[in-house]
Amino acid sequence: AQSVTQLGSHVSVSEGALVLLRCNYSSSVPPYLFWYVQYPNQGLQLLLKYTSAATLVKGINGFEAEFKKSETSFHLTKPSAHMSDAAEYFCAVSSYGNNRLAFGKGNQVVVIP
Amino acid sequence: DAGVIQSPRHEVTEMGQEVTLRCKPISGHNSLFWYRQTMMRGLELLIYFNNNVPIDDSGMPEDRFSAKMPNASFSTLKIQPSEPRDSAVYFCASSPGRGGNQPQHFGDGTRLSIL
């Protein structure tokens, strides 16, 4: 079975500071990895995805993530936090032939002015 | 492009009543997913369909829950009878294929409150 671990349910970051959200996955087959963002009263929106091409993936809103097989990680970063980045972020994993996503528990990001 | 459309956006009803949630996936997508989100349990997959056929319903909590997909453009999730513990946000999502590398596109959800 595939799974994702996201530590720290709440993450506080100062405006202009680095945003770093950690995601570690478990998969017995090559994974596909996704980061989603959820704003209040909305559904999940895709930020970026890794599907076995470049290991450094750039997404929307200035976010990027790096796939590291040796560390089974797919951490999400943004160099400079903006107030509009306050939201909940979910990491998810699937694999070839299996489009069922396994989601992490999410990180609630608070941006401090 | 129209995204995944869910209705109603909010539903408040009394315990014991039947609740029907509706979803219209993105045109051309052949996989459809129903999720439930609560503070305690996070995001849970209830059931998913491929080409209108249920593939995995192991997440459906109990027999009070049922889901149908009569055609490629419509799906329903029904709860009968409803209970207060069913209160949650229910999301529908769709994706273009079964390859696993296709992202799921989510609707804005139905916020369900059972009194």
Side-chain angles (χ1 to χ4, degrees):
Chain A
Q2 296 176 303
S3 66
V4 158
T5 302
Q6 293 179 251
L7 296 179
S9 60
H10 285 76
V11 176
S12 293
V13 59
S14 296
E15 189 176 15
L18 172 72
V19 179
L20 170 60
L21 302 179
R22 299 179 188 275
C23 172
N24 288 91
Y25 69 90
S26 173
S27 178
S28 58
V29 295
Y32 300 134
L33 293 156
F34 305 83
W35 275 100
Y36 284 85
V37 61
Q38 184 180 26
Y39 299 103
N41 300 314
Q42 294 186 24
L44 279 69
Q45 177 182 349
L46 181 70
L47 268 180
L48 47 80
K49 65 177 182 178
Y50 166 76
T51 56
S52 75
T55 57
L56 182 62
V57 180
K58 294 187 185 299
I60 62 171
N61 302 339
F63 284 92
E64 64 181 36
E66 186 171 11
F67 172 69
K68 292 186 176 180
K69 183 178 178 181
S70 61
E71 299 177 8
T72 61
S73 69
F74 190 56
H75 302 331
L76 181 71
T77 60
K78 181 175 179 177
S80 176
H82 191 271
M83 296 301 294
S84 60
D85 294 327
E88 189 155 20
Y89 293 79
F90 294 91
C91 184
V93 63
S94 68
S95 59
Y96 177 77
N98 170 26
N99 62 348
R100 177 180 178 144
L101 284 173
F103 282 93
K105 293 189 179 301
N107 294 122
Q108 185 67 51
V109 171
V110 175
V111 181
I112 303 167
Chain B
D1 287 345
V4 175
I5 299 172
Q6 292 187 246
S7 63
R9 287 297 313 275
H10 303 273
E11 175 90 11
V12 180
T13 191
E14 293 187 346
M15 182 175 67
Q17 296 297 307
E18 178 179 291
V19 173
T20 300
L21 311 181
R22 297 173 176 79
C23 175
K24 177 178 171 55
I26 293 172
S27 177
H29 284 193
N30 56 14
S31 293
L32 183 139
F33 307 81
W34 281 102
Y35 291 89
R36 179 171 67 177
Q37 186 178 39
T38 61
M39 290 290 291
M40 291 297 294
R41 301 172 70 92
L43 197 61
E44 303 173 275
L45 177 66
L46 300 178
I47 184 171
Y48 84 89
F49 295 84
N50 193 65
N51 292 326
N52 313 337
V53 176
I55 302 300
D56 184 353
D57 65 354
S58 60
M60 296 287 261
E62 47 197 277
D63 291 346
R64 297 185 297 106
F65 286 70
S66 62
K68 293 182 179 180
M69 192 164 186
N71 57 61
S73 59
F74 184 66
S75 177
T76 59
L77 178 67
K78 189 171 292 188
I79 308 173
Q80 167 63 21
S82 57
E83 297 183 3
R85 59 192 169 122
D86 302 330
S87 298
V89 182
Y90 290 81
F91 288 103
C92 176
S94 68
S95 73
R98 293 192 68 180
N101 60 346
Q102 299 294 330
Q104 294 180 18
H105 299 256
F106 284 74
D108 283 337
T110 295
R111 185 172 296 274
L112 177 63
S113 297
I114 308 297
L115 306 178

